[in-house]
Amino acid sequence: MALLPNWSAGAAVTDDPTVDPATKATFQRLADAVFTDRTNALVDAKSSQEKSRHQLTSGFSGKVRLSGTQSHEENSALSELRGRQTRLAKLGEKYSAASTSVKLDATQVKGRRATVDVTETTTLTYAKTKGNEPKTTGFQAHHELTFKADRQGDWQLTGIRDTDDGYLAVNQVATPAVAKPQVRTDDGPPDAPRAATTWPAPAKPKSFSGTGYDYKAMAAYAQKYWNHYNPDYPDFNGEADGGDCTNFVSQSLKAGGWKHVPGDGTDFHKWFGNSEIQSDSFVGVNEFSWFALSSKRVTSLANVYQADIGDVLQMDFNKDGSKDHSMIVTYRSPQGVPYVTYHSTNTYNRSVASIIASYPNAAYYAYRT
């Protein structure tokens, strides 16, 4: 469970059936252009100046367009994403192509103001993949857009809010996490050492036999349910629930052979989860770390690039000592780059290099399962 910025998850707008289809289609086209521009900023194709001249949002005027303030915000976002692309290239990762589509989920119009909920689906193609490396990475994300009409009835996009519990979409502009107090219990849960993010990392080969665990089954489970949630478990995406990331990781580990440790659900030494009840360690980011280390089901890795299939990565976005997000490794390239899959925002096969390029100031923790 990731306690990230206090945003509501998913669609919060009640759809207004009286809004005419043409207006809805107009809103959707602009939303699609905004998020496509963001994705295209990451693709290794042309110079930044050339990309700027081909921004899809620059073709909107009249009936619907970006407001002056939002236009400035988008230019800043694209500049940051192009910087991210440069950092990724230095780490040896490039995207050769991308596709983004936006589905309008709900529209509400009150006077001259409109609120629109959309679902963005994005796929990026890795350049120069070899062998069995993932050919693509992708995610689904939810956004709330606000529009304001002028006296002529022309709509301007005035704001974009990401409504997922997490904010780790590949093309999403980094937003500082809200600091929160550290959580500790009286019997002293173990501290995980931070992992380095330098590449290449010292060799740390993983044994795939004799452990009693099926790491390929863990990866297969994660890849099956990254955006199609298993109905046998509750979905913790929601403002009050804090996110589904650790719940998803725990399910994947369970699919690969981790056994329940029943008992008091608030005791971090216990670990269990099903459709009706889950321990804090099954769904909580910090509690999972405490259980995994104290039970010796994991050992800490010195470097995130040492992680292999079935291993777990965690992040502390603002380095306040309380971890925020959990991910599971679903592939490791021959070049030594792990790829992770996670919930909130639902994402599959994203390279660790991409995560670090997006959040270079976060603290990282790596666990060998």
Side-chain angles (χ1 to χ4, degrees):
M1 193 184 311
L3 298 176
L4 299 179
N6 193 24
W7 302 328
S8 58
V13 174
T14 302
D15 192 50
D16 182 353
T18 66
V19 181
D20 67 276
T23 300
K24 290 183 176 183
T26 299
F27 290 155
Q28 180 176 352
R29 283 195 299 272
L30 180 55
D32 193 274
V34 166
F35 296 112
T36 297
D37 280 345
R38 291 187 183 186
T39 302
N40 287 344
L42 294 169
V43 176
D44 182 56
K46 302 174 181 177
S47 69
S48 294
Q49 287 109 346
E50 216 166 334
K51 285 184 179 181
S52 298
R53 290 195 293 270
H54 290 87
Q55 285 178 213
L56 297 178
T57 50
S58 63
F60 285 79
S61 61
K63 291 298 181 183
V64 64
R65 64 186 187 278
L66 298 177
S67 68
T69 300
Q70 193 60 38
S71 180
H72 176 75
E73 292 287 336
E74 287 307 303
N75 286 335
S76 297
L78 295 178
S79 177
E80 178 175 330
L81 291 168
R82 290 175 189 130
R84 184 178 301 173
Q85 181 211 343
T86 300
R87 293 193 298 273
L88 271 173
K90 291 179 180 178
L91 292 168
E93 180 169 311
K94 294 181 180 181
Y95 304 120
S96 61
S99 65
T100 290
S101 63
V102 171
K103 180 175 72 72
L104 190 147
D105 298 317
T107 305
Q108 190 174 86
V109 176
K110 293 183 178 179
R112 292 181 178 174
R113 297 184 182 275
T115 308
V116 179
D117 274 356
V118 300
T119 298
E120 171 198 1
T121 301
T122 287
T123 301
L124 293 107
T125 301
Y126 289 115
K128 299 179 180 178
T129 55
K130 302 175 182 178
N132 294 322
E133 287 180 72
K135 291 181 170 52
T136 61
T137 181
F139 65 90
Q140 287 184 332
H142 302 89
H143 313 279
E144 182 180 279
L145 284 63
T146 52
F147 293 84
K148 185 177 180 180
D150 59 22
R151 295 182 181 276
Q152 288 72 43
D154 296 335
W155 292 100
Q156 295 185 32
L157 176 62
T158 57
I160 299 172
R161 187 172 72 96
D162 304 303
T163 57
D164 291 310
D165 291 297
Y167 52 95
L168 281 173
V170 178
N171 67 354
Q172 192 166 345
V173 180
T175 305
V178 179
K180 57 185 184 294
Q182 293 189 30
V183 179
R184 291 291 183 263
T185 62
D186 293 337
D187 55 351
D191 289 324
R194 291 183 184 177
T197 57
T198 52
W199 186 85
K204 188 73 172 180
K206 182 174 186 176
S207 173
F208 282 78
S209 62
T211 64
Y213 300 129
D214 187 340
Y215 299 112
K216 291 183 179 179
M218 295 175 184
Y221 182 96
Q223 290 172 335
K224 179 178 180 179
Y225 290 110
W226 74 270
N227 70 338
H228 172 65
Y229 286 28
N230 188 342
D232 292 337
Y233 295 91
D235 174 0
F236 286 102
N237 277 322
E239 182 175 356
D241 298 321
D244 199 63
C245 63
T246 307
N247 182 40
F248 175 64
V249 167
S250 290
Q251 292 172 36
S252 301
L253 295 171
K254 183 179 171 182
W258 275 37
K259 302 300 184 185
H260 282 173
V261 182
D264 180 356
T266 64
D267 180 356
F268 70 82
H269 298 97
K270 311 302 178 184
W271 184 86
F272 54 87
N274 54 36
S275 61
E276 298 179 350
I277 188 170
Q278 305 79 35
S279 64
D280 290 349
S281 60
F282 200 89
V283 300
V285 183
N286 292 285
E287 292 86 348
F288 172 85
S289 174
W290 300 338
F291 166 78
L293 288 169
S294 64
S295 66
K296 303 192 184 307
R297 290 193 181 182
V298 305
T299 55
S300 293
L301 294 169
N303 191 300
V304 295
Y305 285 103
Q306 293 174 330
D308 209 324
I309 294 173
D311 290 341
V312 175
L313 297 182
Q314 292 188 318
M315 296 173 64
D316 174 2
F317 291 107
N318 53 13
K319 295 182 178 177
D320 67 352
S322 186
K323 302 172 189 67
D324 301 297
H325 188 61
S326 302
M327 304 167 281
I328 189 165
V329 178
T330 47
Y331 179 77
R332 178 180 171 85
S333 76
Q335 292 73 36
V337 178
Y339 291 71
V340 291
T341 298
Y342 53 86
H343 280 181
S344 308
T345 300
N346 303 335
T347 298
Y348 70 92
N349 283 344
R350 183 176 181 184
S351 76
V352 167
S354 172
I355 298 282
I356 294 169
S358 301
Y359 299 92
N361 297 319
Y364 292 84
Y365 302 85
Y367 307 89
R368 169 60 45 84
T369 60

